[in-house]
Amino acid sequence: MASVSAYRSGHEVRTVAVIGCGLIGGMWAAFFLHRGLDVRAWDPAPDGEERLAAFVEAGLGDLDAVGPSGRERGRLIWCATIAEAVEGADYVQENAPEKLPLKQALLDEIDAAVPADVVIGSSTSSFPASQLQAECANPERVIVAHPFNPPHLVPLVELVAGERGAPAAVDAAYAFFEAIGKVPVRVAREAVGHLANRMSSALWREAVNIVAEGIASVEDVDRAIRFGPGLRWAVEGPHMLYHLGGGEGGLEAYLDHLGPAQEARWGTLGTPRLDAETKRKLVEGMQAEVAGRAMGELTQRRDRLLIALLRLMAEDEAGANEKTGKGAR
């Protein structure tokens, strides 16, 4: 198949193939269905269809709690083979386990089966796009399309073209995800962990260091984020928050007056090791914070609060659109 200059995007995408239907793929399927798209799904597990049905039911329940999509729900079609799943697909989302040879072989098979104007996105959280593209005859349309967990609720999708990916493929994926209510971002250069996971890792490194150095407990670190900067981060990103912190002078004033203090703090941040003693402190501290609550209870609580936050953000966006005359996404 020859390279193309235009890919199916936005409202041209009516059918999505979901390849790999574990937690990530299952919740992707729920999101696509909720947005009125037909989903053709495949997974090699013997109980894959049953497992997918459970994920979709739970995911649709969460999404309905956030609010109606305004679209008729799509059809879920379970397929016996990859070839059957990608037949007629306008976009493909791959969600195989994080094993590079497995993903490369799978993406090569998908690439050989779908038309050249169909973008193939991978949910990988760790592999660069250039490695995923290595075995494909049409590497330009194979990109990273990495969601944040839980993918049906968190709007972010990170898009990476890699060394051989076509900017037009990223543009098409961007238009598609924006059209269905996701918030895509372009990662201009490949980096381990893409974008958001790099920032999350930087925060957790210092959170681990604080526990390892005896500065605060696991629970107090979590409380400090939940009831401090975490609240602001749900409203604005780090650069904007520091801009607001600079008062009338904005970010420039902050950098001029408080930049040296910020650099001094950076100089004191730790580089902890996950050795036996640090792991013991973290695990014991987490057990104290969990206080006997089951994982299901903790997950449900997280999702319940996410749903409430998303509803509030949707109301705020609707109000802003009404003032500016813009239509809702």
Side-chain angles (χ1 to χ4, degrees):
M1 289 182 284
S3 176
V4 298
S5 59
Y7 297 87
R8 302 181 200 182
S9 66
H11 297 292
E12 294 177 295
V13 178
R14 301 302 309 149
T15 300
V16 176
V18 173
I19 306 300
C21 300
L23 175 61
I24 301 301
M27 291 310 183
W28 263 128
F31 182 82
F32 292 140
L33 291 166
H34 190 260
R35 292 307 190 267
L37 301 172
D38 291 339
V39 172
R40 301 179 67 85
W42 174 86
D43 189 279
D47 63 342
E49 184 175 8
E50 179 181 335
R51 218 172 26 145
L52 174 61
F55 283 136
V56 165
E57 182 180 6
L60 287 174
D62 288 343
L63 289 162
D64 286 341
V66 174
S69 68
R71 311 178 192 192
E72 185 178 349
R73 190 162 293 174
R75 297 176 301 146
L76 177 60
I77 303 162
W78 179 257
C79 300
T81 65
I82 292 174
E84 183 185 347
V86 302
E87 183 179 354
D90 302 305
Y91 173 82
V92 180
Q93 186 73 33
E94 172 271 312
N95 317 281
E98 291 289 281
K99 299 177 181 178
L100 184 58
L102 172 63
K103 282 186 175 287
Q104 287 175 330
L106 194 59
L107 289 165
D108 179 35
E109 183 175 353
I110 296 168
D111 178 46
V114 297
D117 64 342
V118 173
V119 174
I120 303 167
S122 173
S123 294
T124 183
S125 62
S126 57
F127 297 127
S130 56
Q131 292 183 2
L132 299 174
Q133 298 158 349
E135 304 298 323
C136 296
N138 302 277
E140 62 278 351
R141 49 84 169 270
V142 178
I143 65 171
V144 169
H146 173 239
F148 239 57
N149 196 31
H152 64 305
L153 293 178
V154 179
L156 177 66
V157 184
E158 298 174 320
L159 304 176
V160 193
E163 296 174 0
R164 303 167 69 188
V170 170
D171 291 344
Y174 193 103
F176 164 55
F177 284 118
E178 195 167 47
I180 60 174
K182 284 290 188 181
V183 179
V185 297
R186 293 180 175 89
V187 182
R189 184 169 64 85
E190 287 184 326
V192 176
H194 313 316
L195 176 58
N197 270 338
R198 290 180 67 87
M199 292 186 282
S200 296
S201 294
L203 172 66
W204 195 48
R205 181 175 68 177
E206 186 53 29
V208 169
N209 181 64
I210 287 171
V211 173
E213 294 294 322
I215 298 171
S217 68
V218 168
E219 183 171 6
D220 281 340
V221 168
D222 284 357
R223 286 168 61 85
I225 294 299
R226 285 187 63 217
F227 297 103
L231 290 172
R232 298 189 304 186
W233 291 335
V235 176
E236 297 290 357
H239 295 310
M240 178 60 76
L241 288 172
Y242 277 106
H243 178 66
L244 296 174
E248 289 299 321
L251 183 60
E252 184 176 8
Y254 179 89
L255 294 173
D256 288 343
H257 296 290
L258 296 173
Q262 185 70 264
E263 286 187 320
R265 281 197 296 274
W266 287 344
T268 69
L269 300 180
T271 53
R273 306 298 302 175
L274 293 174
D275 54 27
E277 178 61 15
T278 300
K279 288 191 283 187
R280 182 191 64 79
K281 289 180 178 180
L282 292 172
V283 171
E284 289 181 358
M286 182 49 59
Q287 289 172 342
E289 184 176 351
V290 167
R293 290 172 292 175
M295 186 63 73
E297 180 184 353
L298 294 170
T299 302
Q300 289 172 7
R301 175 179 174 276
R302 177 202 66 188
D303 292 351
R304 184 178 70 250
L305 293 174
L306 276 174
I307 288 167
L309 179 58
L310 287 166
R311 292 180 66 171
L312 181 62
M313 294 172 75
E315 291 173 8
D316 178 72
E317 183 176 1
N321 287 335
E322 187 176 345
K323 285 183 179 179
T324 60
K326 292 182 180 179
R329 264 203 303 267

